Each structure stands twice: as C-alpha cells, then as structure tokens.
Amino acid sequence: MIAVVDAARSGLFRREQWLPNIIAGVVVGVVALPLAMAFAIASGVKPEQGIYTAIIAGAIVSAFGGSRVQIAGPTGAFVVILAGVTARYGVEGLLLASLMAGVILIAMGAAKLGGVIRYIPAPVIAGFTAGIGVIIWVGQWKEFFGLPAPQGAHFHLKLWHLLQSLPSAHPATSALAILSLAACIFGPRLPGLGRVPGPLIAMVLATVLHAMFSFEGVETIGSAFGGIPKGLPMPHLPLFSFAQLETLLPSAFAIAMLGAIESLLSAVVADGMSGTRHDSNQELIGQGIANVIAPLFGGFAATGAIARTATNVRNGGTGPLAGLFHAVTLAAIVLLLAPLAARIPLCALSAILFVVAWNMSDVRHFIRMARTAPKADTVILLTTFLLTVFTDLVVAVNVGVVLAIVQFLRRMAASVEVLRVDDRTLASELGEAGGHNLPSGIQVFSIDGPLFFGAVESLEKVLRQTHSDPQYLVIRLGRVPFIDATGLQALEGTVGALEQRGVRVVFCEASGRVLGKLIRAGIVGQHAGDRRYSRDLAHAAASCRQAQPLAQAAA
C-alpha cells in the first residue's frame, strides 16, 4: 500500500504526530546534507546534485513508497557503479541511466518481484557490500591525503599508484582530514554533542577551521566546483538516442537491481525498529518513480538509506511526514545557506566517506561469516568480495548468485533419496491398511524429495541398477512435493527402459499437483482404471496381482 495512504488510515497525520515527525525530519535532513554531497562527489558529479537527489527522491519515496519510515537518497552502495557510468558516459549518461533504472524498478514492482529480491543469499550481499566499502575507502585517499589523481583503469593499478604517492601527501590536507575523521567518530561521544550527527560535527569543524586559518593547498567545494547554487534547477529531460539507451541498459539494470536490494533491506531494518510491515512491491514502485523524476532535476540514482532510515526511527519518526520534512530541510538549506558550502574542505567529506565505507564493510560480520559459515558459503562470500574489488560489481553479483544457486541445487539434489522399502515395513503398512502381503516378484521404491533436474541422477542410478529385475516395480511418490520437466523425462525414460526389460511399473500416492503433471506428460492415463497409477500402496499391490506380467504378455 502507498505509504501516505497507509499512514493516513493509521492516524499518523493527526496533530499530535506532527511535532515528533518534524523533529525527526530536521535531524535526518541535517545528517543527509554532508552525505549527499560526499556521495555526489564520489560518483563523479557536482555536490549540489547529491542534495537535489536527496530532496526529490526523499520526498517521493516517503509519499509513494511501501514503508512508512523509509528515508531515500544517494547512498554509498551506488558509488562504484555511478562513478563508472559517469567516467564512461558523462553526467548526461548517468542521469539517463538513473532514469532507465527507475523505469525498471517500476516494472519490477508492478510484476510483483519485491519478494523475490529478498531471496538473494546473505554471502552475496555481505561480499559485494564489503567490496564496495573497500573501493570507496581507497577511492577517497586522493582527497583525504591531498594526493594526485591515481593512474590506471583497474583497482589494483590505482591502489599501487596511490601507495607510491603517499610520501607526497599534503600535510595540511591530511591533518585536517584526520581531525575530521576523529570528529566524525568521537564527536557524538563528547558531553552535550550526543544527539549531534558525527558527519555534521566533522563538516562544521573542518569548515570553521579552514575559514579561520585559510590553509594553503586545501581543496574546497568552492575551489573544485565553484560552490553550490541557490535553489533547485528547472526540470529538463536528459539528451538521449536509441543507441544510448541500448548502451546504457546493462548499467541501468545494475543500478535497478542494487537499488532494489538496498531499499528492501532498509525497509526490513525499518520494520524491525518501528514494528511496521512494508509493502515490498509498492516500495519498488516508489523507488522507481523517484529515480525517474530525480534525474529531471539533475539528481541521480537513489535508494533507501539504512543509516538515515534508522536515524529517522530513533528520533521519533513514525510516518511519511518525517521523510517529507527531511526533504524540506535540505531544500531550506540550499535556499538559505548555499553560499557557505563553498568553504567546506573536500578532505572533510572524504573523512565522512571513510566512516561510511567502514560501516558498509561491516568487518566484524564479514569475518564472522567467513569463519563460521559452511565452506561453500565462505567461498561464495570471498569470491563475490574479490570480484567486486578487482573486476566489476555487476560481474560479482551475477557470479555470486550463480554460485549460490548451484550450491543450493547441489544441496537439494543431495537431499533427494530413492530408497527400496524393505519387506518388513511393507508388511506392516499393508497390515495396518487391512490389505494382504505383497505377492512375490514385486519391489517397492520410495522417492523422498523434489524430483527436479538436479536429482535425476539419483533416480536413474537407483532404478536402473536393480541387480535382479522384478516382475513389478511400485514407485511411491507421496514425499515428492514437486516435479519438473527433467524429472518427468527421467521417469518416462526409466519406465520405458524397465518395461523393455519386462518390468511393469506402477506409481502411487502422488499429490494432486504431481499427478496432474504425470497425466499431462502421458506417463499415467487419465482414467481411473489406469494400471500405471494407484492411489495408495494397497491398491498398487492389488493392481499388480490382477495385471499380467509384461514378460508373459509379450510371450
């Protein structure tokens, strides 16, 4: 359900709800300001574009998303993809890719894919988020230490160049960056500053110091970008051609997938903190609308921000009003205080991104998962992490998901058992059912587990390697929850091979779903008297007594 509609029905627009949500919105807006500028610069665009993104996407997601307390805006997870798109296709290419990603998100929400996104395995998510954190951290060394721009197209080349350049770090820039980092981490622990966000403390402290002492060689927003203009820009459609749309489609899809994952993870965190329940499909639609409209105003890709959403809930946010006032706060800052932003040192924003990278990496969780998870999951975790860092985020996620699927199928296939039921068990079951003992020449096998393409080998191995062919073979399907086309094909092939050897095959106990597939595949007949299927073991035994062995019928 749309967030504003759900909130209205729940009474979250009553007068007594306004003050706590306004306070929460203002706090989140202040927190979002330095982060929005830092993420914009890291993505290769101007700092004000990050603020525009936070204003427009934040307001739209709060109004049209599927979570009451979600706060949206630019996030660190996007930096790796967006920086690559900007470097390759320019700012207009980034805006167009963001808009295309919004269309994809809307389509995903309309197709009810919100629940599917949440099934991406935890090792894949932990691997690529930790990898993104490492890339952001290393990517900020230039601004943090005042180093020359690194050379090379790949991570390891840039890292090596930065390591070689460290001895030439700019002293004033490095000192101001280290002070900003300390303020960001320890500032909220000081008396009287407990409720002041660390990024704000770092940004204000560095700006004030640089304004007082004018450190030579320290780069600022003013020197690098010419400051931040007042007000919001007029909307305009990014320039594009159909060839560009085709070229940018992979990047747009990657942005959409990453945005979907992060927004739904953030919504789950919000549910746990606020006791609410989000609508995942509506959340994707809301995120999609935000990503379609934000680029029209110079913004870029946005998604649900876990840290800002948590800040919103902790400060009393209960509904969309907080998200809307978060956007209003940022808009007011742009209108009233934009000229002051020119003095903000870039090293202070890089220090803030150092903290963001550390929080994203979640080193303790990563190490714990690597040490305690099953070996296959550890391999998936490390593979996704290394591919994210040294190749490409899209490649890393794709490979990680494929490895996770293969591992899941391997485990599922290993869990499927095809066992021969011993005579004592059969006699007991038939006795309880009031039936007679099985006649001689009959063997009974039970399939336990889903009969899909990964489990076909187990079925064929057991059924085709009967050392002495019986006259009748009963296959119990009561513990088969589903069967796919490959499983049906394997059954059909196995039945044909056995009947050529003179063994009559009878199936029994299949669920209605599995039986329907057997009938559609022509393995069993539709009429009740079909000798290939019986509803239970007793009727299967009776059918075997009445049927003539295939060997005699052929003679």
Side-chain angles (χ1 to χ4, degrees), residues 83-164:
V85 174
T86 306
R88 189 170 182 182
Y89 304 107
V91 176
E92 288 293 315
L94 174 63
L95 301 184
L96 184 57
S98 300
L99 192 153
M100 293 168 62
V103 175
I104 295 172
L105 283 167
I106 294 173
M108 290 169 63
K112 309 296 184 183
L113 296 180
V116 177
I117 299 297
R118 291 180 293 178
Y119 291 118
I120 294 179
V124 176
I125 295 175
F128 79 70
T129 51
I132 291 171
V134 170
I135 294 173
I136 293 174
W137 176 58
V138 174
Q140 292 303 306
W141 287 12
K142 174 184 175 294
E143 284 76 20
F144 191 91
F145 296 107
L147 303 175
Q151 303 298 319
H154 300 288
F155 174 83
H156 64 282
L157 296 175
K158 293 180 179 178
L159 176 60
W160 179 243
H161 187 270
L162 288 169
L163 289 173
Q164 290 179 312

